[in-house]
Every structure is written in structure tokens, then in C-alpha cells.
């Protein structure tokens, strides 16, 4: 028998391999079909009260708790892991302490696209390559304190090819544009960072507090006057400018050494131009501001609702700006919790106002309609002015087009509430049409589609215990909890900063006078 099998081994193995491939193909097709129908789209998960199956149990949760219930993550599958630690250069830390003792304002932030960090020390800007650690560029000579910076790709036919990014530095008086160059060598494949001054600068009539850029190099700023502003720059294509090349940075061999201070260039003599434009949705105001000087513009024209007493007595500054290049949308979040969406146009070169929503009021309407049939949904009383008091919407994040076709942005407040918005009308969201043209992705409305309460404090404490004692976590049952409906518990803590990407939410929650606690939640719809 053994010999017979051996003689026919080739034929038998070929048949077995073919059947195995058929079974694998069928299994893969079935898996793909289930993935397509499993509601992996964030909008489907939220609208269907998405249920999930526990890894340690074969039972499923109630379908009315799928979109709101939380569970503690196992210590072995952490979604937030520290990869390393980088310390600021000593001279930056020393100067920061000196300015803090003198009461001078400071600011700092990250430029993750180029893996750098920036720090504004008075009228000096420091750009630090935290991967190298020893590569620092100092730019001084700014007109005033730095309020925000914006990293963007350069516009076409303005700079030489060595300039891969530009950095717009906004101060209380003007906006200056500098070029970032990475000088490569055989020993430095990434290149050493160089900050090159340019002649592009423009005065501003208001303070810029936040910024964002598009993939085409457009630079937008959040104004304290309640409007979106744009920095436009271009090199004049005259014969003289082409000869002198005044709009381009100097060649690499003429750049200062690394760490050497760079001073602002002298005023432009006309061959390069830049200006800040206020992107006002009102045609009447645009005409008036283009004709009248700032001191002659009446307040009733600039803010008619405020003049009639329908708004507050003070301006509503814009605090955050976010750009969705895939859908051609720009979001502007104000200090009072109003979210505006703008359409960038088919080619990304326009800016037209589409819709506006008061986040807290829209959340109360949504909770009133959904809390009756879903006991885990946030209660409407949580969004009363008496309960929220001075709570703020701290950030707005873009939801990737790969993550959802119907949910396009999520706002987060300082208590941890998440407010999911769509820029499509309700009729288009419920339509069975699967059109995915560029025009169909552009914003047409602003609709709140879901509200999610923050995880309860007890679940954060349980997750911390499991992290500190992994052996106990393997023996204990899976920890899960519904969001709290107690306003005192929810609003007892404050989140200072938030991050959202691909379903992962990170919160920096105040844990003391000199410490914060970093918390994460993923997948966000669970």
C-alpha cells in the first residue's frame, strides 16, 4: 500500500493542491464579502449601533449599546505605545526658562511632516530636527511675538527645486515666509535643516491664532476677528525679476552654517509680492473692506448680527482650522463652538461658504431625538448651558475618505465629547447611489450625524490597573461600561489637547498642576 501511494504521489498531490487552492479562494472571497457587509465604514458603525463580538466570549452585546459602550483594552494590545523620547537642546530650555521668569509669552509646536519641532522665544523662532537632535536653525529679527506657524509645500514656479517646504510665521503685526531646505550629503542622506529668509511678508489687521495649508500650498489663518484669512504670495514674472531672481533663495553653497542665526531680509523692492486677504462670505462686506480703510469701516457693516443684538457684544475668534484635501473642504471652529465649512472648489483654488452649525445646540437636538430609543446615548440635559457652563470645543479633525464616505469631520470638546459631522445633505446620505466623482465629494451642507460621550472615569481607572498589573488582567473578566450620564462626573475633568486619526482618539487630560495624562480610545466607533 505504501508503494502504491508513493508511485501515484505526484498525481495525488497535484489534485490535493488544486482542491486546497479552491478552498482558500472560496474562504478569501467569503471573508472579503463579510468585510464589505460588516459595516467597516465609520458612518455605518455609528448609524447601525454597530455590535461587536468579544474575543473571550461568543455572545454579542445588545444592539442598542454597540455605538456607545466602551471596554478596557488588554495590556498586550495597546494602541498607544511610547516609541522614544527627545529632549529640547539645552540653550532652548535655558532661554525658555529665562523668558518665563520675565513673563514673556512663548509658543511651541510640532511639524510632523518633516519630523521637526518649533519654538517661539520672544521674537526668535527655533526650528529643531528632533530625529537628529543636534540640528537646530534659529531665525531672528521678527517684528513681534509669534502667534502661530504654518508648514506648506511651496507654490509652483516661485522657488528653486531645493525648497521642498515653506514656513509661514505669523506675528501680531505681519506674516513672514521662510523657505526650509535640507542640505544633503553622502554622510547626511536626510540632510541638515536650513531656514532661508525670503522677501515675502505681509501685514495683517488682526491676530492669527491657528493655521492650515492645502496640498497645493495655499495658506489659511484663523483670525481673532472671526474670519478666515489667506496669505497669497507670488513672484512677479517681469524681465528684471527673472534676471535678478530676487524671489528665490540663495544657492545652497551660500547658506549659513547649521545653528547660525538667520536675520530677516530687507524690505522687498517690488519684485516679489505677498498679501493677507480676509475670506469673507459676505459680498457686501468684501466690497466695503476693499474700498474703505480699516478706520473707516463701520462696525454695523462688519458685524450686523452683533449690531442688532443677535450675537454677543464681542467678536467670535476662530481658534482652529482644518483642511480636507480629498473632499475640497475647509473647517473653521470658533471660540464659542460654531463650526463653519467652506468649499475649496473643483480645482482647490476657491473658497465659498457652505454651512454653519452651533455644535452644542446641534448636539442637544440630536440627543433629544436619539436618547429616547437608545439608553446609552448622551442625555439632552448634558448640553444645557447650565451644565456645560464655560465648556469649549477645543478641536476639529478631518475624517479620512478611506475611513468613511458619510462622516467627514469630528469635533472634540474639553470634556471628551465627540461630535461627528457630514458635509452631505441627509437626502444624499440616505440615497442608494454610489457616485464617487470629485464633485460628489465636495461639501454641500453641514449636518451633525452622531454624538459620543467620553468614556467613564471608572473605565480609565480599570484600564490603568490592567496596564500596571498585566497578570491580573488575564484573570479578570473583560471590563466594559456605558458612558456616564452624570454631568458632574463628565465635566469634572478637562482635556487640553486632542488628536484623531483613523479611528484613534488621543486626549491630553489634566492630571495636576505640572502633569497631564495621555488617554487613547480605538477603534473610535466602539
Amino acid at each position: 500500500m505504501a508503494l502504491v501511494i508513493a508511485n501515484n504521489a505526484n498525481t495525488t498531490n497535484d489534485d490535493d493542491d488544486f482542491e486546497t487552492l479552491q478552498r482558500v479562494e472560496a474562504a478569501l472571497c467569503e471573508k472579503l464579502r463579510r468585510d464589505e457587509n460588516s459595516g467597516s465604514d465609520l458612518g455605518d458603525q455609528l448609524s447601525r449601533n454597530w455590535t461587536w463580538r468579544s474575543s473571550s466570549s461568543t455572545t454579542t452585546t445588545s444592539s442598542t449599546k454597540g455605538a456607545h459602550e466602551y471596554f478596557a483594552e488588554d495590556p498586550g494590545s495597546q494602541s498607544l505605545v511610547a516609541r522614544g523620547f527627545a529632549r529640547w537642546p539645552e540653550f532652548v530650555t535655558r532661554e525658555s526658562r529665562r523668558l518665563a521668569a520675565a513673563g514673556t509669552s512663548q509658543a511651541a509646536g510640532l511639524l510632523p511632516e518633516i519630523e521637526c519641532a518649533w519654538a517661539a522665544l520672544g521674537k526668535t523662532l527655533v526650528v529643531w530636527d528632533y530625529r537628529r537632535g543636534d540640528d537646530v536653525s534659529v531665525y531672528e529679527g521678527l517684528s513681534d511675538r509669534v502667534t502661530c506657524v504654518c508648514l506648506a509645500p511651496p507654490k509652483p514656479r516661485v522657488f528653486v527645486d531645493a525648497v521642498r517646504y515653506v514656513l509661514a510665521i505669523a506675528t501680531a503685526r505681519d506674516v513672514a515666509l521662510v523657505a526650509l531646505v535640507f542640505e544633503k550629503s553622502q554622510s547626511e542622506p536626510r540632510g541638515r535643516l536650513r531656514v532661508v529668509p525670503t522677501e515675502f511678508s505681509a501685514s495683517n489687521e488682526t491676530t492669527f491664532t491657528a493655521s492650515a495649508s492645502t496640498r497645493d500650498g495655499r495658506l489659511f489663518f484663523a483670525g481673532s476677528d472671526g474670519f478666515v484669512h489667506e496669505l497669497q504670495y507670488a513672484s512677479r514674472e517681469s524681465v528684471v525679476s527673472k534676471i535678478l531672481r530676487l524671489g528665490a533663495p540663495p544657492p545652497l553653497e551660500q547658506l549659513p552654517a547649521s545653528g547660525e542665526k538667520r536675520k530677516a531680509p530687507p524690505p522687498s523692492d517690488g519684485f516679489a509680492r505677498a498679501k493677507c486677504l480676509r475670506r469673507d462670505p459676505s459680498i457686501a462686506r468684501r466690497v466695503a473692506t476693499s474700498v474703505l480703510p480699516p478706520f473707516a469701516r463701520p462696525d454695523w457693516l462688519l458685524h450686523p448680527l452683533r449690531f442688532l443684538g443677535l450675537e454677543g457684544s464681542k467678536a467670535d475668534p476662530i481658534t482652529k482650522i482644518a483642511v480636507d484635501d480629498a473632499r475640497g473642504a475647509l473647517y473653521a471652529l470658533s471660540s464659542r463652538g460654531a463650526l463653519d465649512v467652506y468649499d475649496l472648489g473643483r480645482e482647490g483654488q476657491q473658497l465659498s461658504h457652505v454651512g454653519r452649525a452651533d455644535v452644542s445646540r446641534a448636539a442637544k437636538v440630536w440627543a433629544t431625538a436619539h436618547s429616547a430609543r437608545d439608553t446609552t446615548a448622551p442625555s439632552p440635559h448634558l448640553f444645557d448651558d447650565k451644565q456645560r457652563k464655560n465648556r469649549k470645543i477645543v478641536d476639529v479633525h478631518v475624517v479620512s475618505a478611506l475611513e468613511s464616505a458619510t462622516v467627514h469631520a469630528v469635533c472634540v470638546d474639553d470634556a471628551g465629547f465627540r461630535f461627528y459631522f457630514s458635509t452631505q445633505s441627509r437626502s444624499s446620505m440616505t440615497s442608494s447611489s454610489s457616485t464617487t466623482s470629485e464633485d460628489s465629494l465636495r461639501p454641500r451642507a453641514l449636518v451633525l450625524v452622531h454624538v459620543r460621550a467620553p468614556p467613564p472615569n471608572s473605565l480609565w481607572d480599570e484600564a490603568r490597573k490592567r496596564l500596571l498589573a498585566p497578570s491580573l488582567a488575564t484573570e479578570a473578566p473583560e471590563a466594559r461600561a456605558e458612558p456616564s450620564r452624570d454631568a458632574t462626573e463628565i465635566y469634572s475633568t478637562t482635556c487640553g489637547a486632542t488628536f484623531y486619526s483613523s479611528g484613534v482618539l488621543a486626549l491630553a487630560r489634566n492630571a495636576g498642576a505640572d502633569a497631564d495624562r495621555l488617554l487613547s480610545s480605538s477603534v473610535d466607533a466602539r
Side-chain angles (χ1 to χ4, degrees), residues 39-49 399 403-407 420 449-450 525:
S40 58
D41 185 282
L42 177 60
D44 294 337
Q45 297 174 14
L46 298 175
S47 61
R48 297 176 184 174
N49 285 337
V399 177
E403 186 180 356
S404 179
T406 55
V407 179
Y420 297 87
V449 296
H450 191 79

Side-chain angles (χ1 to χ4, degrees), residues 25-251:
E25 179 187 12
L28 288 176
C29 292
E30 178 65 18
K31 179 63 176 177
L32 292 174
R33 186 187 63 80
R34 290 181 179 180
D35 289 344
E36 292 178 354
N37 299 330
S38 62
S40 58
D41 185 282
L42 177 60
D44 294 337
Q45 297 174 14
L46 298 175
S47 61
R48 297 176 184 174
N49 285 337
W50 188 59
T51 60
W52 51 277
R53 184 177 295 274
S54 171
S55 58
S56 60
S57 175
T58 59
T59 61
T60 57
T61 61
S62 172
S63 60
T64 61
K65 300 181 180 180
H68 295 278
E69 190 179 41
Y70 289 94
F71 65 94
E73 190 176 43
D74 294 333
S77 59
Q78 299 179 40
S79 60
L80 192 64
V81 180
R83 298 288 299 274
F85 179 79
R87 187 182 298 275
W88 279 97
E90 181 63 26
F91 82 93
V92 177
T93 305
R94 184 172 58 253
E95 183 67 11
S96 176
R97 292 174 179 172
R98 186 188 69 83
L99 293 176
T104 305
S105 61
Q106 305 174 57
L110 294 175
L111 305 172
E113 296 85 352
I114 58 175
E115 297 180 314
C116 291
W118 65 271
L121 306 176
K123 297 182 181 181
T124 301
L125 182 73
V126 178
V127 183
W128 171 48
D129 186 344
Y130 54 75
R131 287 193 59 187
R132 289 179 49 92
D134 60 345
D135 193 3
V136 180
S137 292
V138 180
Y139 182 80
E140 63 177 6
L142 296 171
S143 61
D144 208 330
R145 62 180 180 86
V146 177
T147 57
C148 68
V149 301
C150 184
L151 183 71
K155 289 187 176 181
R157 297 179 299 276
V158 176
F159 300 99
V160 296
D161 295 338
V163 178
R164 308 303 297 269
Y165 292 94
V166 295
L167 190 67
I169 309 171
T171 69
R173 299 181 182 180
D174 56 15
V175 180
L177 196 68
V178 298
L180 300 183
V181 178
F182 286 92
E183 192 176 18
K184 298 182 179 180
S185 63
Q186 293 182 354
S187 60
E188 302 287 346
R190 168 179 164 84
R192 298 187 70 87
L193 176 64
R194 299 289 183 268
V195 176
V196 185
T198 72
E199 297 178 347
F200 296 111
S201 64
S203 60
N204 53 339
E205 301 175 0
T206 185
T207 302
F208 296 154
T209 57
S211 60
S213 64
T214 67
R215 58 189 174 192
D216 298 328
R218 298 181 68 182
L219 295 161
F220 294 100
F221 294 90
S224 59
D225 57 354
F227 296 98
V228 176
H229 296 252
E230 181 179 3
L231 174 66
Q232 294 184 345
Y233 67 95
S235 58
R236 297 186 185 274
E237 294 296 328
S238 64
V239 177
V240 179
S241 65
K242 290 182 179 180
I243 296 176
L244 298 180
R245 302 290 184 183
L246 294 181

